[in-house]
């Protein structure tokens, strides 16, 4: 089974991190791999990528004619790929050496249409003591209670997800109106892909916890204001996703219900038994981030012509 790994990037100042991501894929234990690098309209980064990786026989490098966004770039990568399976990893992540091998084993053993794996946090600074594990999804990592090994889900996170290439392209690839593009940040771009695959094939993404990727978390991702703003955008995006994929509307509602009825009580019990300042901070952060998700959702409800943000 030939696997094409797509890595998309744009910013010049993150080139070294991107290069580490590429090297982690080139050093996989699985041999039949093609690496597709999609540079999103940054000619300087394109030139450096060609200089560093252009001589690699298994690497293809493409530069978009302009900054088109992550969703366009991932679809473009899948179109350029030749593998039976196309795997996605972020430019600020590193795959464990057996990542692709583990994904392939799952495809062969289950006849899956899509397989994802664990996204583990790799803090580049000390983890903030206020950060609750239940909100790792804010920074693109698996949160507490995300899923069980080999569970079939709508989608895993974007730094560790793969599809049979024909399946991904048959449902139209990634929705170009989702993901970060300029000052727009409509999140949950994997959700739309997963929902369309489920509609078309009646199948989901197999979550193999043995397929591991480490997502680098830099200082700004531990900033409280940034996380609160991100929470607001998550709520806003959720309202848009409810319009686009109404069958998935209950997913985050179930998560929030579980958060408030299971995880919060567990934290309160732990706090009473062993009081610690960090536990108090995490509980406060948990409530603040949850509230910001709610504010974003309500704001989206009240906003006229909400879908204009999605369709522009």
């Amino acid at each position: 089974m030939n696997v094409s790994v797509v890595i998309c990037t744009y910013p010049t100042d993150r080139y070294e991190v991107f290069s580490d991501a590429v090297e982690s894929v080139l050093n996989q234990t699985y041999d039949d791999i093609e690496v597709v690098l999609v540079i999103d309209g940054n000619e300087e980064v394109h030139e450096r990528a060609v200089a560093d990786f252009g001589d690699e026989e298994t690497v293809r490098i493409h530069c978009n004619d302009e900054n088109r966004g992550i969703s366009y770039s991932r679809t473009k990568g899948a179109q350029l790929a030749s593998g039976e399976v196309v795997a996605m990893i972020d430019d600020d992540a590193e795959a464990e050496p057996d990542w692709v091998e583990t994904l392939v084993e799952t495809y062969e053993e289950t006849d899956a249409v899509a397989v994802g794996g664990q996204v583990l946090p790799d803090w580049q600074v000390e983890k903030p003591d206020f950060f609750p594990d239940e909100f790792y999804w804010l920074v693109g990592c698996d949160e507490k209670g995300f899923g069980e090994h080999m569970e079939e889900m709508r989608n895993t996170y974007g730094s560790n997800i793969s599809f049979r290439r024909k399946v991904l392209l048959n449902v139209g690839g990634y929705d170009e109106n989702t993901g970060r593009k300029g000052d727009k940040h409509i999140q949950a771009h994997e959700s739309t892909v997963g929902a369309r695959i489920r509609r078309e094939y009646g199948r989901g993404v197999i979550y193999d916890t043995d397929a591991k990727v480490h997502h680098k978390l830099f200082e700004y991702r531990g900033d409280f204001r940034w996380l609160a703003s991100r929470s607001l955008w998550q709520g806003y995006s959720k309202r848009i996703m409810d319009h686009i994929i109404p069958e998935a509307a209950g997913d985050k509602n179930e998560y929030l219900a579980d958060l408030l009825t299971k995880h919060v009580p567990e934290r309160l019990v732990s706090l009473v038994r062993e009081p610690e300042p960090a536990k108090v901070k995490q509980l406060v952060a948990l409530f603040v981030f949850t509230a910001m998700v709610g504010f974003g959702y309500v704001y989206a409800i009240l906003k006229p012509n909400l879908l204009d943000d999605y369709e522009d």
Side-chain angles (χ1 to χ4, degrees):
M1 177 179 285
N2 179 251
V3 177
S4 298
V5 179
V6 175
I7 311 175
C8 306
T9 195
Y10 171 73
T12 304
D13 60 2
R14 205 155 76 181
Y15 182 83
E16 296 302 327
V17 178
F18 159 70
S19 180
D20 289 342
V22 178
E23 292 289 353
S24 77
V25 174
L26 290 174
N27 292 322
Q28 290 290 296
T29 57
Y30 192 75
D31 292 329
D32 202 358
I33 295 178
E34 170 190 55
V35 182
V36 181
L37 308 180
V38 180
I39 316 302
D40 196 10
N42 187 328
E43 190 55 43
E44 180 182 349
V45 171
H46 178 238
E47 290 175 359
R48 291 183 68 179
V50 170
D52 290 345
F53 303 108
D55 292 336
E56 296 279 352
E57 293 183 5
T58 59
V59 175
R60 298 188 64 177
I61 304 173
H62 169 80
C63 187
N64 295 335
D65 55 359
E66 60 179 342
N67 184 227
R68 305 292 295 269
I70 182 65
S71 293
Y72 173 92
S73 297
R74 286 195 162 188
T75 301
K76 185 65 176 180
Q79 292 169 341
L80 293 170
S82 61
E84 181 182 348
V85 166
V86 58
M88 308 291 178
I89 183 172
D90 285 349
D91 63 351
D92 56 356
E94 290 187 34
E96 292 201 353
D98 63 347
W99 174 55
V100 172
E101 183 177 356
T102 304
L103 294 176
V104 170
E105 287 175 356
T106 304
Y107 277 105
E108 293 177 341
E109 292 172 3
T110 66
D111 196 32
V113 297
V115 179
Q118 276 199 85
V119 182
L120 301 169
D122 181 12
W123 288 97
Q124 302 299 293
V125 295
E126 184 177 356
K127 176 188 174 184
D129 62 354
F130 67 80
F131 191 94
D133 291 350
E134 293 88 346
F135 271 81
Y136 262 120
W137 55 273
L138 279 180
V139 292
C141 298
D142 295 4
E143 72 273 10
K144 182 179 180 180
F146 177 68
E148 300 295 330
H149 179 58
M150 301 307 285
E151 178 182 351
E152 186 173 301
M153 325 175 70
R154 183 187 66 202
N155 61 274
T156 54
Y157 293 124
S159 198
N160 192 349
I161 194 167
S162 67
F163 313 89
R164 291 192 184 271
R165 179 172 172 270
K166 289 183 179 179
V167 169
L168 177 60
L169 296 180
N170 189 48
V171 299
Y174 280 75
D175 189 325
E176 293 178 31
N177 293 299
T178 61
R180 183 180 293 277
K181 180 182 178 184
D183 61 355
K184 291 173 59 177
H185 196 184
I186 308 303
Q187 299 171 16
H189 34 299
E190 273 74 39
S191 298
T192 57
V193 177
R196 282 187 269 120
I197 288 176
R198 190 174 290 280
R199 285 177 190 168
E200 183 70 22
Y201 295 92
R203 310 276 294 280
V205 180
I206 301 297
Y207 177 51
D208 187 338
T209 57
D210 292 332
K212 298 175 182 178
V213 161
H214 298 265
H215 190 195
K216 295 180 180 177
L217 303 179
F218 297 96
E219 186 175 8
Y220 75 93
R221 289 185 181 267
D223 180 77
F224 192 89
R225 291 184 179 180
W226 184 89
L227 290 164
S229 174
R230 179 99 167 168
S231 300
L232 184 77
W233 270 107
Q234 285 283 359
Y236 186 88
S237 301
K238 174 173 167 35
R239 179 58 179 170
I240 292 179
M241 292 300 106
D242 286 353
H243 282 287
I244 301 165
I245 46 174
E247 66 270 28
D251 288 2
K252 278 302 178 187
N253 293 340
E254 292 176 7
Y255 167 74
L256 290 173
D258 193 48
L259 179 70
L260 296 175
T261 61
K262 179 181 177 183
H263 297 303
V264 169
E266 288 176 351
R267 283 187 170 275
L268 288 171
V269 170
S270 176
L271 181 60
V272 170
R273 289 177 176 173
E274 298 180 29
E276 295 177 11
K279 291 182 179 180
V280 176
K281 293 178 184 179
Q282 290 171 22
L283 193 59
V284 171
L286 191 150
F287 280 117
V288 170
F289 298 157
T290 301
M292 292 301 290
V293 171
F295 290 152
Y297 191 85
V298 171
Y299 172 66
I301 290 176
L302 299 177
K303 183 177 180 181
N305 304 317
L306 171 66
L307 293 185
D308 287 351
D309 276 351
Y310 171 76
E311 295 168 348
D312 286 348

